[in-house]
Amino acid sequence: MSEREVLELLRENARYSTADIARMTDLEETEVEAVIEELESAGVVRGYKAVVDWDKLEDETVRAEVELNVELDRETGYGDIAERLARFPQVKALRLVSGDYDFDMEVEGDSIREVSMFVSEKVAPVPEITQTVTHYVMTSYKEQGIELGDGDEDDRLSFSP
């Protein structure tokens, strides 16, 4: 038995009951409960969330990926900048990445204007941030390992000359 097995099952479906997980891992239900409690207490499991297909809702949520470039000084590190940005409720994810930019930030708002104003008025003025590039999400095909959409096959007509 490993914590990893329990974690993988929770990642697959956080709604599995402890009885379900016990059956799938050949553990006792009390053992599963203890493993989950230990993972939560240690901060390994930080929460449980639903995967939402925003395209299926009437009220639209605007999502954007924002690339951030920063310039560090002697007193400020990546962690300091991340701590400042992560406090904003519009920021849904924030990652330090390798490549052409430093941070990848996922942002949500009720409109393109709201997201744009957030980036221009709250993010861009942070002294260490030297550049922002905002990419609005048009459609999501897969989120957190789950394929979205109606599952229909490609229904375009074939064409051959």
Side-chain angles (χ1 to χ4, degrees):
M1 181 302 283
S2 79
E3 291 177 342
R4 178 146 325 260
E5 270 184 292
V6 173
L7 279 173
E8 289 301 324
L9 289 168
L10 288 173
R11 287 186 67 208
E12 177 183 307
N13 184 351
R15 292 183 56 146
Y16 281 145
S17 69
T18 52
D20 292 334
I21 295 172
R23 272 192 305 281
M24 291 185 259
T25 59
D26 293 326
L27 295 173
E28 295 296 320
E29 194 170 343
T30 55
E31 291 175 289
V32 172
E33 289 168 357
V35 167
I36 292 172
E37 186 177 316
E38 183 179 314
L39 291 168
E40 290 172 344
S41 295
V44 174
V45 173
R46 305 292 292 217
Y48 301 89
K49 291 191 168 217
V51 176
V52 178
D53 187 345
W54 293 106
D55 293 339
K56 302 262 185 207
L57 295 175
E58 301 253 343
D59 56 332
E60 201 167 311
T61 296
V62 175
R63 293 174 300 130
E65 296 285 331
V66 184
E67 300 173 5
L68 303 174
N69 280 316
V70 302
E71 188 171 307
L72 302 177
D73 57 35
R74 291 177 190 242
E75 293 83 36
T76 308
Y78 290 117
D80 299 317
I81 297 167
E83 187 177 310
R84 201 172 327 153
L85 294 171
R87 289 185 181 141
F88 291 109
Q90 295 91 334
V91 176
K92 302 304 174 191
L94 180 63
R95 300 173 193 89
L96 181 64
V97 297
S98 62
D100 293 334
Y101 52 97
D102 300 304
F103 285 101
D104 176 49
M105 182 172 67
E106 293 178 25
V107 177
E108 285 184 6
D110 291 332
S111 67
I112 288 177
R113 178 170 168 64
E114 182 181 309
V115 170
S116 296
M117 296 301 287
F118 169 69
V119 172
S120 65
E121 294 179 0
K122 301 293 185 184
V123 177
V126 172
E128 295 82 10
I129 294 178
T130 59
Q131 182 183 22
T132 67
V133 178
T134 303
H135 304 274
Y136 290 95
V137 176
M138 307 295 282
T139 299
S140 286
Y141 298 101
K142 190 172 186 177
E143 293 282 344
Q144 298 179 31
I146 296 175
E147 289 187 47
L148 306 178
D150 56 16
D152 287 346
E153 295 297 315
D154 187 356
D155 58 354
R156 295 177 292 177
L157 297 174
S158 344
F159 175 79
S160 56

